[in-house]
Amino acid sequence: MREYLLVILTGITVTYLLVSPVKSLAIAMGAQAAVRDRDVHKVPTPRIGGLAMFGGLLGALVMARALPHMTEVFIETKTANAVILSGALIVMLGIADDLWDIDALTKLAGQIAASGILIMNGVQLSALPRPDGGSLALAPLYGVPLTIFIVVATINAVNFIDGLDGLAAGVVGIAAFALFLLSYRLADVIDIPLLIGPTMIAGVLVAICVGFLAHNFHPARIFMGDTGSMLIGLLLSAATIQLIALFDTALAQKYSIFPLWLPLLLVPMVVVVPFADMLLAVWRRTNQGLSPFAPDKHHLHHRLLRLGHSHRRSVLIMYGWVGLVGACMVALSFVPPNSPTWQAAVLFVTLCVAALGAALMVGVPRLIARRAFQAEVEAAAAGPGDRTRQPV
């Protein structure tokens, strides 16, 4: 764990320090997000902040390569090559999009190419865990397309939620932290070396998200742009795929540990709200006779703002939902598969917390608005001549 902590601290520090020069570079290149009707920022803001995140990724991996035990990950696997090469391609694609707004098909082709680099370096699904504890072997004819689909879908889901300051970095950081804990626990229970590829990727992803979030939380001084959102989506999918592919489902039965489909379920659960928002947006626009890609201000984060939540509170609410899902998954990892009572207890507590959170999400802004209205009424009734209410 000490080597993981050192790698994570290195990633945080390098990312944090690189943001300022990347911001200056973005301004010099004219890579700034203009203010549009559907945006919530008020002034043009530099983007391509993902370039600093990629630098943090490289810095963390250099540190990992220099450590005495974690260097075994580089010797035994091609994990580092996979994320560096595919990440470099996706960053170049993102910079081009942030500068010139390239078309959707070109971006899709680049995302598929990045997926291919992951596959060529061993990050590929060769089997899927079944709910009954067995596994479903996947021939390359099926495993390769499924791997590409998971990578591309995760990249675009993360890209889609990048609508508020700090939202994408925080959401992915929380999801990556949950994945880090799941991977570490799995290796610990099975009693294999704790320094493995998926745990390293998840830890580095946590680091670059935290380092960037220090500059990106509201009010953001820089945006990650497509450069960053596609990069962290790529890393999140790579860590998930490698964790699933690394272990045999027979180990879960032998050691009586959580089913291996939990990590595979984590990412869809985290991005289910953005995906639902995307589907609703497509339905809403086509129902109005508009293009599915026509911009509007009816996304989830816009609705939270209209409910009366501040920018920061809206982002924290999204953090809370993702954290709840991640906590549920991590808690289930401590419950053996043959303990339905404890599994039901974890799910029940999660649902209770979710219900309370939904009630507060709707009720708090109404309560604040009601109190503000009452204060205005009392101030108006008092009038300017009421000396008892005047400051001394």
Side-chain angles (χ1 to χ4, degrees):
M1 179 60 79
R2 286 178 295 182
E3 292 196 358
Y4 279 129
L5 291 177
L6 187 57
V7 169
I8 290 172
L9 288 175
T10 302
I12 292 174
T13 304
V14 173
T15 303
Y16 180 83
L17 294 177
L18 284 178
V19 167
S20 293
V22 168
K23 179 181 177 181
S24 301
L25 177 63
I27 295 174
M29 296 173 63
Q32 297 197 78
V35 180
R36 302 168 296 183
D37 290 339
R38 71 178 188 273
D39 292 327
V40 295
H41 63 280
K42 304 301 181 183
V43 295
T45 306
R47 47 187 178 183
I48 71 168
L51 189 58
M53 304 177 87
F54 184 66
L57 167 69
L58 295 179
L61 291 178
V62 168
M63 173 59 72
R65 184 68 175 85
L67 294 175
H69 298 292
M70 193 168 287
T71 189
E72 296 296 327
V73 177
F74 294 79
I75 297 173
E76 297 174 1
T77 70
K78 296 182 179 179
T79 299
N81 290 339
V83 296
I84 290 174
L85 295 176
S86 60
L89 175 60
I90 214 72
V91 164
M92 290 189 291
L93 182 69
I95 291 175
D97 187 54
D98 288 334
L99 287 174
W100 303 298
D101 289 327
I102 61 179
D103 61 277
L105 287 179
T106 302
K107 285 202 293 185
L108 178 62
Q111 293 166 4
I112 294 175
S115 305
I117 294 175
L118 289 177
I119 293 170
M120 288 189 294
N121 285 276
V123 181
Q124 176 187 340
L125 282 175
S126 57
L128 283 177
R130 298 200 311 258
D132 61 1
S135 62
L136 176 65
L138 294 175
L141 180 62
Y142 304 103
V144 169
L146 182 58
T147 302
I148 293 174
F149 172 78
I150 292 174
V151 174
V152 172
T154 307
I155 289 174
N156 286 282
V158 174
N159 190 20
F160 189 76
I161 65 174
D162 189 23
L164 291 179
D165 296 352
L167 182 57
V171 165
V172 173
I174 294 170
F177 183 63
L179 197 63
F180 175 85
L181 294 178
L182 286 174
S183 180
Y184 191 89
R185 164 141 175 86
L186 184 60
D188 183 43
V189 171
I190 296 178
D191 196 24
I192 65 172
L194 298 176
L195 302 175
I196 53 177
T199 314
M200 182 181 69
I201 297 174
V204 172
L205 181 53
V206 172
I208 64 176
C209 287
V210 171
F212 185 75
L213 196 58
H215 296 272
N216 186 237
F217 199 70
H218 184 73
R221 297 181 290 278
I222 187 172
F223 294 153
M224 67 173 64
D226 281 9
T227 309
S229 62
M230 291 197 297
L231 174 65
I232 60 179
L234 176 81
L235 295 177
L236 184 62
S237 61
T240 304
I241 291 169
Q242 194 171 40
L243 179 59
I244 296 297
L246 191 60
F247 297 101
D248 186 354
T249 53
L251 296 174
Q253 297 176 333
K254 177 181 178 181
Y255 291 92
S256 188
I257 58 174
F258 64 92
L260 296 184
W261 45 260
L262 270 185
L264 190 62
L265 186 63
L266 174 65
V267 173
M269 289 295 291
V270 166
V271 299
V272 65
V273 174
F275 267 129
D277 189 24
M278 179 176 62
L279 294 176
L280 287 173
V282 171
W283 177 84
R284 181 176 61 249
R285 294 162 186 170
T286 54
N287 194 44
Q288 295 173 354
L290 302 174
S291 167
F293 304 102
D296 60 29
K297 298 189 70 171
H298 299 287
H299 290 295
L300 177 62
H301 49 271
H302 294 127
R303 296 178 186 272
L304 288 173
L305 293 172
R306 283 199 295 271
L307 273 176
H309 293 290
S310 65
H311 192 124
R312 290 191 176 191
R313 195 187 304 138
S314 299
V315 172
L316 291 175
I317 287 172
M318 298 295 290
Y319 288 178
W321 289 117
V322 176
L324 180 62
V325 172
C328 177
M329 297 296 172
V330 174
L332 286 174
S333 72
F334 288 89
V335 178
N338 55 356
S339 300
T341 302
W342 282 105
Q343 292 175 354
V346 170
L347 295 176
F348 176 75
V349 171
T350 302
L351 291 175
C352 289
V353 175
L356 177 61
L360 292 175
M361 183 177 66
V362 176
V364 167
R366 293 183 179 180
L367 180 61
I368 294 175
R370 186 179 300 125
R371 288 181 176 177
F373 177 74
Q374 290 175 350
E376 291 177 2
V377 171
E378 291 175 0
D386 189 349
R387 297 294 182 181
T388 63
R389 295 183 178 271
Q390 298 299 318
V392 177

